[in-house]
Amino acid sequence: CCVPFGAFNITANAATSGTTGDCTWSLDGTVLTISGNGKMADYWNGGDKAPWGTSITQVIFEDGITRIGEYSFYDCTLIESITIPQSVTHIGASAFLGCSSLQNVEIGNGVTNIEKSAFCRCTSLKTVTLPDSLTTLSYNMFEDCYNLKKVKLGNAVKTIGKAAFYDCYE
């Protein structure tokens, strides 16, 4: 009638695929691929966390993604480089907040809106290429990016928001 305590090992397996808004995601080891057509879901700091976790080392955004959700990659401290395709038009608030190993970001020419704190606390960030389609650098966009050395601005930038480069020492 009784089973000895410790006779079974129960392991919770993290999901390796699913949906995020209008898109799908799959995780192969530590490489995350976001595919489909449309917007990713928003996630919240202190609330619903992204289902792929924070141990990813690489993100592949396939063409067709139009919006990167808020807090999607919050504290993903192992990502070193991001390339955002031209199909993306919008990057949500704090999307890459705290990606402390992120060194290089290339943003496709389709992006017209990057919300506040999108790259805040990316302390290893060295190089960013912003598209010609972007007109405004939002509030706190690169705050605490201590090692940011090169920002290539697009031709259409007209407004630099308050504290966009706060605590950028280089």
Side-chain angles (χ1 to χ4, degrees):
C1 80
C2 298
V3 176
F5 190 68
F8 293 102
N9 288 328
I10 299 173
T11 305
N13 290 328
T16 58
S17 64
T19 60
T20 174
D22 300 328
C23 306
T24 59
W25 64 273
S26 63
L27 189 60
D28 183 5
T30 60
V31 178
L32 176 69
T33 302
I34 308 286
S35 56
N37 293 300
K39 302 174 182 179
M40 290 176 61
D42 289 330
Y43 300 95
W44 307 104
N45 181 20
D48 293 332
K49 303 272 188 212
W52 43 80
T54 59
S55 296
I56 56 177
T57 59
Q58 182 181 359
V59 181
I60 300 168
F61 296 102
E62 292 189 349
D63 198 37
I65 307 305
T66 59
R67 183 180 186 279
I68 297 173
E70 296 179 8
Y71 290 94
S72 291
F73 303 98
Y74 173 72
D75 270 348
C76 289
T77 60
L78 302 176
I79 299 171
E80 293 183 2
S81 182
I82 294 286
T83 300
I84 298 171
Q86 294 197 26
S87 62
V88 173
T89 60
H90 187 108
I91 299 173
S94 304
F96 298 96
L97 174 70
C99 291
S100 58
S101 294
L102 187 62
Q103 295 179 27
N104 300 300
V105 176
E106 290 186 36
I107 301 172
N109 274 327
V111 174
T112 58
N113 186 10
I114 301 175
E115 291 185 28
K116 68 179 182 174
S117 303
F119 298 97
C120 182
R121 292 195 336 241
C122 293
T123 56
S124 296
L125 190 60
K126 295 177 184 173
T127 304
V128 176
T129 302
L130 298 172
D132 288 337
S133 54
L134 188 66
T135 59
T136 301
L137 301 186
S138 63
Y139 176 80
N140 289 49
M141 190 166 164
F142 296 105
E143 180 181 356
D144 293 332
C145 293
Y146 307 125
N147 292 299
L148 187 60
K149 293 180 185 197
K150 183 178 180 181
V151 177
K152 183 178 179 198
L153 296 176
N155 296 328
V157 172
K158 293 181 174 52
T159 306
I160 297 177
K162 182 179 178 181
F165 295 100
Y166 185 78
D167 275 345
C168 294
Y169 301 129
E170 295 289 327

